[in-house]
Amino acid sequence: MLRSADFSNLPAEPNAFVGRESDLDELVHLMRVSRAVTLCGAGGIGKTRLALRLADRIASDHPGGVWLIELADLEKGELRGYVAAALGIVGDLAETIGGRRALLLLDNCEPVIGECAELCRDLLGACPGLTVLATSREPLRVPGETVWRVPPLSVELPVDGEESEAVRLFVARAAAARPDFTLTDETRPLVVELCQALDGLPLAIELAAAMVRVVSVGQLVERLDDRFRLLAAGARTAPARHRTLRAAVDWSYRLLTPQERLLLRRTAAFRSSWTLDLAEAVCSGPGLAEEDVLLRLCDLVDKSLVALDGEIAGQARYRLLETVRDYALEQLAESGEEAELRQRHLTALAVMAARFKEAIAPGARTSWPVIERYVNLFDALKAELGSACDWSIANGQPETGLGLLTDLRYLLVGSGRKLDVTERLDRLLALGAPQVRRELLGQATILRGELALAAGDLEPATRCTRAGLDLCRSVKDGYGEAIGLIVLAQLTGQPDTLSRVLEHAEQSGDLVLESLAQGTKAQIGLHHGRLHEAQRAFEEVLAITEDLDNHVGQAFAHIGLAQVARRSGDSAAAKRHYESGLRLLRHVDARQQIVSCLAGLGKVALDEGDLVEARARLTEALVLSRDAGLRSGIARRLEEWAVLVSAEGDLRRAVLLAAASVALRSRPSDARTEDVLRPARAELGEAVVGMLWAEGTGMTAEQAVACALDGALPERPPTPVISVHQDSRLTAREREIAELIARGLSNRAIADELVISPATAARHVANILSKLGFSTRTQIAAWVIESR
């Protein structure tokens, strides 16, 4: 999530950083004079490690945040969405980053080098405070880019008693692998020879150093001859460093036991990362029993061929280094096992999804911590889910892929989830109905409707939901029909069909389904002002979700009950429910619900006249909305801020924020807006309010947020002196429209006032701007006021 100052997601260094002191000093200076720096070099040269160290050194120069975004697993067309997700942004990237002094570290750009160049060009052009540090095997070739070639570690003989960088790295890593390892007069020349033979490449040196756990330095040097003979058979035109690195990896692979080799090449079936459970399910088989996978995985971690990449849902997470995975993929392809391994990968993910569905099945009564682990696990395995679906599509198995996705329905459409599968779902559905059971096809088609509804695409949402309903009804699938009726009620706002859903839920004992139906009924009632009906339904949801120990469901019910209570004038109950919801969401990624709780508490405080509490809560809500790029959420929060600053006596800022809120939501002002404008008109006058309104509607989302949080007012454009001659060029109708602009009316409001079309109103405004030589409506408003 995009956070405020001092945020960084840079990982802690797994071991000591060795060497490159002068390189770092040079790069620190370079980063202070260039906004785009690319560290270039062959795989294994140490680009990523150097970039992370550099980013940590200069983090204090970027109070707007420092983000590491790893791109090694990316495919073409995924970059912008992936970067937005990594930053927690659901809106426009450039608009959300704005003028922050932030640093983006784009690591391993090679898979999407062209898209990286376009993204950097766009962001650097639109975000004046942004700096980009990239690592790649080739330059991005973006305007203003400074390319810095990462050199190998120095391998020169010791000077003044200090070892070379390469030798120091070898010794440090060898001592970590074998604590009794020391550099002696006997081993020193061997280590120097080894480092020189490896051309000072950090990855190659670390792979060699890891081997001292099982062989001596002398044995390592002896095996170099075989390796270089293998190297001589490679392509003569390949870069020397690439050949050396490839030889080092191949040499390391040859030192593995048969079982270690088997596991290493089979882990290449994972696109991004995996857990031990997945490794046992996918990688066991002929030559490697399931009970041996853990032991061999430990061996590969020890030898630096598999990286331990933190934890997910209480389980260790593993990944292959980029270069090692490239090599392992080649070995997998040559083995003839690739198709079988990818099928096992798909099956393993489908089994995991089926277990999640069983965990929430009627009568399961699974505790919340277990459900939460599933949620976090699938969030972390997004790339694997996509890879599994891709194989299902490529291999013509829509049944398995669709089953996988429908089993994860509640994660795919739930709050805070980022498992974007819409395109893959479309491709699976397009493979043809004859191959898929109609029951599954119906549920998957309804799921497609749910995803469209969540995205605000009402036409496809309605079409898919009705089509899925027809399929489910044709095979008498009661569960699928119930889900479809819930989605249809959400689309139409008509709760009539929910009685059939509740009947099915009662008969089947499906409490999750019952809570969804009651929640939909409650929201429809709240929307239409039927507060008693909404309260009863929300109370039903709360009772069911408490019984299920579902924290997200409970929070949803508490927020709904708080909204009912506040509309009923019961501030104490509203506050109690909002606070309960916030406590439940403390350890869950459900940003929109968290914002709803914070904003609700702020509005309750406003109702009670506690402006200090209101400001604190509304600040948290606005910052969260801004950092996630939630444009509609920002607009709603600005409306609340307008009420706040009006209550604090800052009527000018209240008008600006109310205008910005209306403009961002692209809707006409309403009674709530009028409540803000009325006292402002009484104190400031109609003319001043009109001018402020024009200024507010012209603010960007970032300017409006700054206006709220920091009191920063937009710069008023200078108003040129207008001669009588210029005034006389306006027609009577244009002068009338200029007066309406000064009152703060939008084009649509002007059209309503004068009973003309919005297009005609827009044409008149354009003529006024042209005749007076202005560029903004604010200038028109200021001119009207000054000429009265």
Side-chain angles (χ1 to χ4, degrees), residues 737-770:
I737 289 175
E739 288 284 349
L740 295 177
I741 291 173
R743 285 171 48 193
L745 272 65
S746 65
N747 286 357
R748 181 172 292 281
I750 291 171
D752 293 341
E753 179 84 9
L754 300 179
V755 195
I756 59 178
S757 72
T760 300
R763 188 164 58 252
H764 281 306
V765 172
N767 288 339
I768 295 169
L769 291 169
S770 176

Side-chain angles (χ1 to χ4, degrees), residues 93 302 365 544 589 698 786:
L93 272 172
D302 286 343
R365 301 293 177 143
I544 295 169
D589 179 13
E786 291 179 7

Side-chain angles (χ1 to χ4, degrees), residues 71 76-80 83 93-94 104 106 109 112-126 130 132 139-143 145:
L71 308 178
K76 291 181 180 179
E78 298 179 344
L79 178 65
R80 290 181 185 263
V83 172
L93 272 172
L104 291 188
L106 303 178
C109 299
V112 285
I113 190 76
E115 294 175 46
C116 277
E118 293 174 1
L119 177 66
C120 290
R121 177 201 62 200
D122 295 344
L123 291 183
L124 289 169
L130 182 67
V132 173
L140 299 183
R141 296 186 178 88
V142 65
E145 175 190 28

